[in-house]
Amino acid sequence: MYLKLLISGLALGSFYAIIALGFSMIFGVTRVFNLAHGELLLAGGYVAYVACERFGLGFWPSVPISVLALTLLGVILYRVFRVIKEPLELNTIVFTFGLVIALQNLFLIFFSADYRILTTPEWSTTIEIFNVSFTRGQLTMFLTAFISVSALYFLLRHTFWGKALRATIQDREAAGLLGIDVEKNSILAFLGGIALVGLAGPFFASFHYIHPTGGIEATLIAIIVTIVAGVGHVRAIIWAGWGMGLLENLVTTMLGAAFREGVTSLVLIAILLYKPCGLADNQ
Amino acid sequence: MALLEVDKITTYRGSQKVLDSVSFSVEEKKIVGIIGPNGAGKTTIFDAISGFFKPGKGRISFERIEITHFPPHRIAKMGLGRTFQIPRPFKEQTVFENVLLGHLMSRPRLMDPDDVITETNIILEKLELSSKKETLAGELTLSEQRRLEIARALATNPKLLLLDEVAAGLSPAAIDRLVNLLKQLNSQGMTIVIIDHFLNLTIQLASNVIVLDNGRKIAEGRPDEVLNMRIVRDAYLG
Amino acid sequence: MKVITLTLHLHQRFFPKVLTVTGFILLLFLVPLLAIQSSFLLQVLSTSFLYAALSLSWNLLAYSGHISLGHAAFFGLGAYGSALFALNFDTDPFTSIWAGGLAGALLAAFSGILFARLRGAYFALATLALVEIPKMIADNWVSLTRGSLGLLNIPPFKLPLINANSNLTIYLVNLSSLTILLLVVALILNSRWGWALRALRQDEKVSMTIGINSNFYTLITISVSGFGAGICGAIFAHSIGIIEPGMVFSLHYSALPMVMALFGGRFSVIGPVVGSLVLTLLDQFVFQPIFPAGHQILYGLAIMITILFMPGGLMGLLGARKHGITGS
């Protein structure tokens, strides 16, 4: 029983880690506080839903389609975010709040308020490893998160581009003086972050029912994980993501699903009170 | 009688000492200069006196009342006015409104509107800002912004004025005018503490100079005495 | 009062502005006489007045520099507070709405104390999360609130000579509340309190050095703002007759006041009212017929356009001074 909770919690947590990584990369290079993160995730989910249910493609073909669609959206968003003036964090939070409303209503127009799910029957079959049974879906989620996060970790730690990117996150001006092409790095990281959301979208749609107003909780979780871990700390994001996944699972089992959003909000408030500077990196 | 007494204050940033047991006192109706190289802790002293943080150790008293743990607004209302190193006027407000704000916020009860306006005008006159009354503070030149800072602080009716680098970046002519102004204020009974990295004002005005280096007070005395001390020269040059 | 006299000294155009606004409000009171047949217009206008009052409450807090994304918490608690008070103590709605306002004010004061160290985006984020807490309580304290079933049969407003809960009653109640709230906000913003908020918004540290008690002013401002939002929620509850947690503690009521205040112009007293009138009419007469399902996309677009192209909102475009004292 508890082992099962642990496993499904870790699978959920891995999913959280991916979306938090996306949030962290976007915030890290552009300082855009993207409240519409969950809605972008939903957008990815809806794209995959259309690809699967209307065009009869399977789950896996829908993933690159979702990634591509969101990356294209990302190009537009990046241009728009560039125009926003100081105070950047506050203005982007207000702007993206507008984006939340706009996207929610766009989903309503195209998909109505119905709950939808990507049906992937093969994922509910269970596999036993060491006497513990996983569903295929959990295993896939876990592996996908593990692979994408390891890839990103390797990219940031061990390639020249990754080092340049980390420098850009830490100090834009200094990075520029060192001859790093800050603008190119920013847009790449931004699109990378959005692409991660595009990757997570189809998974979201197959684990959860998706509906137009279902994005905000994912946003809050991405923010919680990012604040706890600190911007750009890839390994810490995995730990924090798992922690959040376990907590959510525990709350759902112990108190019931009705308390989940409330607890998420309480956690966010508690973390903000503990770290009033939030994402700003001054101790 | 000492108007302000700073008694062995020590402050930390993280585990690092920013001020290390600094003591000094300011006699009523005097002008005192605080000088020292960059990073010596000069502005930190002002922040501690005006209540923005509590020093880790030590006491600060104003008019013999301990103010170490008082919040900034309370200290301001007791009669301690200050300016900032980089001028921080209320940019969306006019010059007149900036000074008016200083007046409105520092008094326990409101005065008659006519008196408020007259008094504000007098302060503007004193700081040669009358012609800019209706200009937005954000549109002023540096020299005007520095004068506006002083005007706003004066409007709070202070007994002690803490001026942080009010002469930095000003032309020699503007500095001369400022010196005259401060002399005049002082002759009317105002006590003033000046942070003066470039020594533009202290030599001409201060009766007493405190030299800080690396968070410690390394010397104190009359300006001409202090400036000839070996230790002070070393601090500035090295 | 003295500061208002001061305002008069400083701004000769103060009286004409006040006269225009007063005239416009009187005109609105006359609308029912002319358009009594078009009950849809009355409904739409009533809604816009409620939103205007909510936006005014929101904007009072925004004047201090605190952007709230959680006014639905105060709105919803006001709705529940008033409805429960009226249902349990069998009182008239005109009495119970004060209980609603008080409930909103108490939660607002509590969050003001709790979030005292948070600024900017982090304050906004905390208020966004705040909404979930009263919602969770309303959803799960079934013995009191009936949980997600919601409260039914909330008593309607009754005015002498007018049919209970007719469109006209709601119209008059909403317009009167808006008028009172507008007067209160105008008085606050033209008093020493309003000056303190203006200073705090621009530079908190400097404000403290001229004697402004930042914590005190922020606390009383958020409390009054929460009170206003609570009253709005209460009025909403009695006009609709039914409330449930997801309906009043929704993103919708957090977003609306912000959208309308920013779009209308947050630096002007009257801006939020203008924003609410324009956006509600646009929504109901243009967007609703085109996109019945997602007509509120308008609000999302409005706020994005405001941030990108007109930081001073509509009133800013009309040339209202961003920092104006009267601003009306």
Side-chain angles (χ1 to χ4, degrees), chain B:
Chain B
M1 184 198 112
L3 185 62
L4 176 76
E5 257 174 295
V6 173
D7 185 20
K8 292 190 191 124
I9 56 169
T10 303
T11 65
Y12 300 87
R13 181 179 299 134
S15 57
Q16 202 189 344
K17 274 183 190 171
V18 180
L19 292 178
D20 189 356
S21 198
V22 174
S23 302
F24 65 92
S25 63
V26 178
E27 299 292 319
E28 226 170 314
K29 296 179 186 166
K30 291 276 160 49
I31 297 183
V32 171
I34 299 179
I35 65 170
N38 282 325
K42 294 169 300 203
T43 299
T44 309
I45 288 190
F46 272 16
D47 278 349
I49 296 173
S50 46
F52 285 111
F53 60 85
K54 294 168 203 156
K57 284 176 206 146
R59 293 158 47 98
I60 302 167
S61 314
F62 182 61
E63 290 192 303
R64 279 185 281 184
I65 298 168
E66 186 178 349
I67 58 165
T68 324
H69 301 291
F70 283 9
H73 64 91
R74 192 162 163 201
I75 295 172
K77 280 186 172 151
M78 289 174 70
L80 202 141
R82 76 168 279 190
T83 69
F84 290 86
Q85 190 170 2
I86 296 160
R88 292 163 76 164
F90 297 115
K91 288 187 184 138
E92 299 167 12
Q93 251 51 58
T94 62
V95 168
F96 186 85
E97 287 165 349
N98 265 275
V99 180
L100 192 69
L101 267 167
H103 188 107
L104 281 180
M105 297 304 157
S106 53
R107 306 293 196 279
R109 53 181 40 228
L110 287 174
M111 287 163 60
D112 190 68
D114 288 324
D115 294 346
V116 176
I117 290 171
T118 319
E119 209 170 292
T120 308
N121 280 326
I122 291 173
I123 293 175
L124 285 172
E125 190 70 42
K126 214 183 257 181
L127 284 135
E128 299 168 34
L129 286 166
S130 293
S131 60
K132 299 279 178 177
K133 235 161 113 169
E134 298 303 321
T135 311
L136 292 184
E139 293 164 6
L140 297 178
T141 64
L142 178 68
S143 160
E144 287 162 349
Q145 288 195 1
R146 289 212 191 282
R147 275 182 279 145
L148 179 57
E149 289 259 304
I150 301 175
R152 188 177 55 199
L154 280 180
T156 66
N157 196 20
K159 295 171 189 130
L160 172 65
L161 207 49
L162 305 178
L163 304 178
D164 196 347
E165 302 283 11
V166 273
L170 298 190
S171 69
I175 291 178
D176 279 344
R177 293 221 299 272
L178 194 61
V179 167
N180 285 333
L181 172 81
L182 295 179
K183 270 184 185 157
Q184 190 198 338
L185 280 175
N186 182 239
S187 69
Q188 289 162 3
M190 181 73 69
T191 316
I192 303 174
V193 181
I194 307 172
I195 288 181
D196 192 22
H197 174 67
F198 297 103
L199 311 174
N200 291 323
L201 300 174
T202 20
I203 302 173
Q204 301 181 56
L205 289 170
S207 55
N208 198 24
V209 171
I210 291 146
V211 190
L212 287 184
D213 185 29
N214 257 326
R216 281 173 214 266
K217 184 170 88 173
I218 54 168
E220 181 172 4
R222 290 209 324 271
D224 49 329
E225 278 171 20
V226 163
L227 290 178
N228 285 321
M229 287 182 194
R230 181 79 198 268
I231 187 166
V232 175
R233 286 163 174 261
D234 285 351
Y236 260 85
L237 296 173

Side-chain angles (χ1 to χ4, degrees), chain A residues 127-208:
Chain A
I127 303 168
E128 280 205 19
I129 302 171
F130 304 121
N131 275 339
V132 185
S133 54
F134 300 87
T135 68
R136 211 181 258 269
Q138 283 171 344
L139 208 63
T140 317
M141 186 68 252
F142 199 76
L143 285 175
T144 311
F146 187 75
I147 292 168
S148 49
V149 171
S150 324
L152 204 69
Y153 183 71
F154 177 80
L155 209 64
L156 285 178
R157 281 276 150 187
H158 299 290
T159 65
F160 178 75
W161 181 72
K163 282 170 190 160
L165 191 63
R166 277 191 294 142
T168 310
I169 290 176
Q170 272 159 20
D171 191 337
R172 264 187 104 80
E173 257 172 64
L177 291 176
L178 288 173
I180 294 170
D181 187 343
V182 173
E183 192 59 28
K184 196 180 95 193
N185 268 321
S186 296
I187 191 156
L188 280 175
F190 185 85
L191 293 181
I194 295 262
L196 277 176
V197 181
L199 173 70
F203 286 96
F204 191 55
S206 64
F207 272 91
H208 263 273

Side-chain angles (χ1 to χ4, degrees), chain A residues 27 33 35 39 80-81 83-85 89-106 108-109 112 216 220 223 227 258-266 268-269 272-280, chain C residues 65-67 69 114-133 135-136 139-140 251 254-256 258-259 262 266 291 293-301 303-305 307-311:
Chain A
F27 182 86
F33 212 116
L35 267 194
E39 277 66 27
V80 175
F81 287 155
V83 184
I84 296 177
K85 298 176 196 71
E89 284 184 21
L90 190 59
N91 275 341
T92 54
I93 213 172
V94 172
F95 180 88
T96 53
F97 197 59
L99 190 58
V100 168
I101 304 167
L103 283 174
Q104 283 186 356
N105 283 283
L106 216 55
L108 268 174
I109 292 172
S112 83
I216 198 78
L220 294 187
I223 293 173
I227 294 181
F259 286 91
R260 217 188 52 216
E261 284 180 28
V263 170
T264 307
S265 301
L266 278 174
L268 177 57
I269 289 175
L272 284 173
L273 294 181
Y274 179 68
K275 263 183 154 179
C277 291
L279 298 171
Chain C
H66 289 78
I67 298 291
L69 298 180
L114 197 63
F115 303 154
R117 286 169 68 206
L118 301 178
R119 293 287 175 277
Y122 303 104
F123 178 84
L125 209 53
T127 54
L128 180 69
L130 176 75
V131 185
E132 289 298 327
I133 292 161
K135 185 186 175 195
M136 179 168 66
D139 250 327
N140 294 291
L251 206 60
S254 293
L256 273 188
M258 177 175 83
V259 175
L262 294 184
R266 60 177 278 225
F291 308 110
H295 58 99
Q296 287 179 357
I297 196 169
L298 165 70
Y299 298 125
L301 296 176
I303 200 165
M304 291 195 281
I305 289 168
I307 293 286
L308 291 179
F309 305 114
M310 44 179 220

